[in-house]
Amino acid sequence: MSAKAVSKSSKPGASKEPSAVTKLYLFAYNAGQVVGWSYILWQLVNYYILQGPEFRAQVTLWEYTRLAVIIFQNAAFVEILNASFGLVKSNPVVTGFQVFSRMMVVVGVVMATPTGKVSPGLPIALLAWAITEIIRYGYYALNIVKVVPHFVVFLRYTTFIVLYPIGVTGELLCFWWAQSYARENSVWSVVMPNKWNATFSYFGFLWIVMLGYIPIFPQLYLHMFAQRRKILGGGASSSPQKKAK
């Protein structure tokens, strides 16, 4: 979920137009994320296309992209605060689930295990994330200034059809590579006995999160199709000012 422009409504009792300071903040946040994810996309292109095998033999993809990914992916935590303080119309609980799922991949999987860093799912996930976020944050930034070209609206509500499944595939591959390491090593786990009298299995936690994709992803995916019908289907809710999620 991203920081969303709040559209002015003509209905009585609707929330008032956000202040100029709020708009400036939201625009800066979304525009900054566009710049950040564009840089990550450029890094992917440079790593796999512009550079030769000698370069890739010296540095892994994670070593090359980690700083930008850590900064701009974890910066999405701000969106939970934006929703919680009413700066955007997002549900803070739903936003929290969506933000923490990505943060879990970056912090709880890739950063936490050596196998996650070299998973074939990492470039897949980063590519899908980068393209998705450039379009999504760009849409929100333009929506704030009420200048949203139709092609941007079309991309926002069409590219997810392919990019969401690709991204989820990459994420799950990262989890799979991480759980193989966690199974053979007691990393990030707490075993009895200890002063807290509690136990925690990182290996089991990874599997719980992975299995959680089964009921959650279809709901989010179908929700985006419903939004696509509203925005692009010519219905009463076809205004590009409608929020995406």
Side-chain angles (χ1 to χ4, degrees):
M1 212 45 118
S2 173
K4 299 174 178 61
V6 181
S7 302
K8 186 174 183 179
S9 174
S10 60
K11 295 182 180 180
S15 59
K16 62 182 180 180
E17 185 81 4
S19 68
V21 173
T22 299
K23 286 184 175 182
L24 179 61
Y25 158 70
L26 292 174
F27 179 82
Y29 171 79
N30 286 294
Q33 286 283 37
V34 171
V35 173
W37 284 102
S38 295
Y39 176 65
I40 293 171
L41 181 60
W42 177 84
Q43 285 185 306
L44 286 169
V45 172
N46 185 53
Y47 187 83
Y48 284 108
I49 299 177
L50 302 182
Q51 298 293 337
E54 297 83 6
F55 177 80
R56 291 188 290 275
Q58 296 175 1
V59 60
T60 66
L61 175 63
W62 177 246
E63 291 171 336
Y64 184 57
T65 62
R66 64 183 174 186
L67 181 60
V69 173
I70 290 172
I71 291 174
F72 291 101
Q73 183 56 69
N74 290 335
F77 180 79
V78 173
E79 298 168 20
I80 302 175
L81 302 179
N82 291 340
S84 299
F85 288 109
L87 299 182
V88 295
K89 289 184 176 180
S90 307
N91 183 310
V93 176
V94 175
T95 302
F97 276 119
Q98 295 182 327
V99 169
F100 279 122
S101 66
R102 290 268 194 92
M103 291 179 65
M104 175 63 193
V105 174
V106 174
V107 179
V109 171
V110 178
M111 293 178 64
T113 64
T115 49
K117 294 177 177 63
V118 296
S119 167
L122 181 60
I124 297 173
L126 290 182
L127 179 63
W129 291 357
I131 298 174
T132 297
E133 300 298 54
I134 292 169
I135 295 171
R136 186 166 67 98
Y137 285 117
Y139 171 83
Y140 295 140
L142 293 172
N143 199 19
I144 291 170
V145 297
K146 303 187 187 317
V147 181
V148 188
H150 179 71
F151 81 91
V152 175
V153 180
F154 179 80
L155 290 175
R156 171 70 185 98
Y157 293 101
T158 303
T159 54
F160 79 90
I161 297 173
V162 173
L163 293 176
Y164 274 27
I166 291 176
V168 167
T169 299
E171 293 170 22
L172 289 175
L173 284 172
C174 289
F175 273 101
W176 180 259
W177 253 250
Q179 67 83 32
S180 65
Y181 177 80
R183 183 181 63 245
E184 299 170 0
N185 302 272
S186 299
V187 62
W188 308 116
S189 297
V190 177
V191 296
M192 298 280 283
N194 56 68
K195 63 180 180 180
W196 299 287
N197 197 32
T199 183
F200 172 76
S201 170
Y202 175 65
F203 171 73
F205 178 68
L206 290 176
W207 269 101
I208 290 174
V209 176
M210 281 194 290
L211 293 175
Y213 275 71
I214 297 175
I216 294 174
F217 172 70
Q219 296 183 49
L220 297 177
Y221 196 48
L222 293 176
H223 172 71
M224 284 303 300
F225 274 103
Q227 292 297 311
R228 187 178 193 275
R229 286 193 295 271
K230 288 181 181 180
I231 302 300
L232 301 179
S237 302
S238 59
S239 170
Q241 298 293 332
K242 293 288 184 180
K243 65 185 180 71
K245 294 182 183 176

